[in-house]
Amino acid sequence: MTSDPVRLGVVGLGRAFMLMVPTFQADARVTLVAAAAPRQESRDAFEGRFGGRAYADIAEMCADPAVEAVYIATPHQMHAEHVRIAAQAGKHVLVDKPLAVSMEDADTMVAAAHAAGVHLIVGPSHSFDPPVELAARMIDSGEFGRLRMIQAFNYTDFLYRPRRPEELRTEEGGGILFSQAVHQIDVVRRLAGGMATRITAMTGAWDPARPTEGAYSALLSFASGAFASMTYSGYAHFDSDIWMDDVGELGQIKSPGAYGKARRALEGLAPEDETRLKQTRTFGSGAALIEAAHNEHFGPVIALCDRADLRLTPDGVEVFGDFERRFVPAPTDPAPRRTVIDALVNAVRHDSAPPQTGAWGRASLEICHAILASAETGQPVDLKRQCGIPAKE
Ligand SMILES: NC(=O)c1ccc[n+]([C@@H]2O[C@H](COP(=O)([O-])OP(=O)(O)OC[C@H]3O[C@@H](n4cnc5c(N)ncnc54)[C@H](O)[C@@H]3O)[C@@H](O)[C@H]2O)c1
């Protein structure tokens, strides 16, 4: 069924938007009609590339009747205010992960969307990756018996990518918890049905020059009885993409010669130079778009069921059954994040919410905080704000 393209306004033309550009260019179900960004350079680049109108202020953009939904890609700490402004203007909202930094902000955002009668979707996150959706459907089909255990891990150079200063301060949403753990939590919850019950975790903050969490290990239990172990390191040494067929997080082929690149680029840089370096990766700065030859992924994930183990790869799901192995492909799409647009279009055009609603994002955020709390106290943390996946009619 075709319908008019969803008319989207974008708030924040930085790195996150840059990663969505190939999808916006390739998926005709959405059209970019407006943007809000503080820098003239990026506003000019937006109007030059997409037409539409670029505003300096989000409230002005949200007053534009051409805009029917808003994609918020500003820094975490601004999500709450920007979601509130968009919702109060009656716009459906796609807000990049994490939903927010504080649980209080998460509550006000969910309430604002509810009061305005608009959809609030938290994404993109790696729970939208086609192999994750495929594996979730395969688990839900019951073909392999009950899901028992998930192992998810990822070793990246996250902590050494160029950062704004607050991205290295945990209390402001910096470090790997709010930016990276939230992906892994989303993936694991998507596979296990969402309703986590308790978590025990330890974290590491081992580089005094970047004094925020760069690693964690956590054990998460679910109401179903399944449990998941999650491990992450952003310390830029081992790279688990070698176990993902040398395909990077964004579906790109990785070059082995790039080893050490992230740390080398930061050598000797002052914080203000690092912020400038980050800006060279944003929209309008001339940075190249990522070319994805495979689906995106968030590191090795294995889901163990009674009658098979399912291994997620960038191209699909490998099934290790009792007597045979087989591969179920998850096709790539010219729009790399097509599933995010599916969610947006279904919400805006058909009033049908994806699993990744505001309440879902709040539940994943609760787990980020619980990892920090468990690491600090040495105690397990019971989870109180979880939600499941609504059944489709
Ligand atoms: N899902 C993903 O793959 C992914 C990847 C990167 C970042 N993110 C998320 O996107 C968000 C932004 O991170 P980033 O790395 O793109 O940061 P960034 O600094 O590259 O981009 C943020 C942009 O917001 C703009 N901005 C600041 N204040 C604004 C305002 N009041 N109105 C409009 N624009 C404003 C800045 O000028 C900047 O261009 C974060 O929440 C992050 O978690 C998601």
Side-chain angles (χ1 to χ4, degrees):
M1 192 168 65
T2 56
S3 55
D4 292 341
V6 172
R7 300 186 311 276
L8 197 62
V10 180
V11 189
L13 298 175
R15 183 69 189 159
F17 172 65
M18 189 73 189
L19 299 181
M20 281 300 288
V21 167
T23 300
F24 290 136
Q25 284 179 337
D27 198 323
R29 295 173 300 162
V30 63
T31 178
L32 301 186
V33 295
R39 288 188 299 135
Q40 184 70 48
E41 172 195 54
S42 30
R43 292 202 295 274
D44 291 345
F46 180 90
E47 289 182 350
R49 173 82 70 90
F50 299 104
R53 179 132 182 231
Y55 298 86
D57 179 54
I58 176 180
E60 282 176 37
M61 188 200 84
C62 288
D64 185 338
V67 174
E68 55 179 335
V70 173
Y71 166 44
I72 293 170
T74 49
H76 311 342
Q77 66 275 19
M78 298 180 185
H79 289 182
E81 193 198 346
H82 290 166
V83 166
R84 182 184 55 74
I85 292 170
Q88 284 178 355
K91 315 294 182 185
H92 298 289
V93 182
L94 171 68
V95 60
D96 217 309
K97 44 58 55 177
L99 174 65
V101 177
S102 75
M103 290 301 285
E104 293 73 22
D105 275 352
D107 282 336
T108 59
M109 295 158 85
V110 171
H114 183 73
V118 296
H119 285 281
L120 173 58
I121 303 168
V122 185
S125 86
H126 284 288
S127 63
F128 286 92
D129 295 347
V132 175
E133 294 212 336
L134 172 63
R137 280 200 307 277
M138 290 166 73
I139 292 167
D140 291 347
S141 76
E143 179 186 350
F144 307 105
R146 281 176 62 180
L147 173 71
R148 299 294 186 177
M149 179 174 106
I150 299 171
Q151 186 180 20
F153 58 99
N154 204 4
Y155 286 71
T156 76
D157 60 9
F158 180 83
L159 206 59
Y160 296 88
R161 296 175 199 158
R163 299 285 162 216
R164 288 177 261 108
E166 73 269 26
E167 290 183 285
L168 298 173
R169 294 194 285 265
T170 308
E171 60 286 1
E172 291 175 55
I176 55 158
L177 264 309
F178 299 97
S179 287
Q180 295 285 278
V182 74
H183 279 301
Q184 203 169 48
I185 293 162
D186 260 19
V187 168
V188 163
R189 290 184 60 232
R190 182 76 183 88
L191 297 178
M195 288 298 293
T197 50
R198 179 178 255 219
I199 192 161
T200 307
M202 297 184 110
T203 59
W206 300 318
D207 181 351
R210 301 175 91 71
T212 181
E213 287 73 21
Y216 63 83
S217 270
L219 200 54
L220 181 65
S221 52
F222 286 89
S224 63
F227 56 92
S229 71
M230 303 184 290
T231 290
Y232 186 95
S233 166
Y235 280 107
H237 289 137
F238 177 60
D239 179 349
S240 52
D241 289 342
I242 65 166
W243 290 335
M244 298 302 281
D245 311 325
D246 284 320
V247 173
E249 175 182 353
L250 300 168
Q252 80 280 25
I253 307 287
K254 284 184 94 162
S255 142
Y259 186 84
K261 197 173 159 204
R263 280 179 180 264
R264 263 197 299 278
L266 294 187
E267 261 181 337
L269 281 193
E272 57 279 11
D273 296 331
E274 189 173 334
T275 303
R276 270 196 290 278
L277 180 61
K278 174 155 183 155
Q279 279 181 5
T280 64
R281 289 156 50 94
T282 62
F283 183 72
S285 61
L289 295 176
I290 299 284
E291 285 183 32
H294 303 267
N295 290 303
E296 297 194 7
H297 71 81
F298 202 68
V301 177
I302 307 163
L304 286 68
C305 301
D306 282 331
R307 291 189 290 281
D309 294 350
L310 311 184
R311 180 176 84 92
L312 281 62
T313 82
D315 298 308
V317 176
E318 192 172 7
V319 181
F320 295 75
D322 289 340
F323 302 106
E324 57 174 19
R325 272 169 73 173
R326 67 187 162 97
F327 186 74
V328 184
T332 53
D333 193 276
R337 293 177 167 181
R338 181 195 162 90
T339 50
V340 177
I341 306 301
D342 289 343
L344 183 67
V345 170
N346 284 335
V348 174
R349 290 279 174 264
H350 309 297
D351 195 21
S352 170
Q356 297 91 341
T357 59
W360 173 276
R362 178 172 60 192
S364 291
L365 180 65
E366 181 192 27
I367 298 177
C368 297
H369 283 286
I371 289 175
L372 287 170
S374 176
E376 195 179 325
T377 62
Q379 299 298 317
V381 174
D382 288 325
L383 301 164
K384 314 269 189 224
R385 312 298 303 279
Q386 297 300 295
C387 67
I389 296 169
K392 284 273 170 218
E393 284 152 19

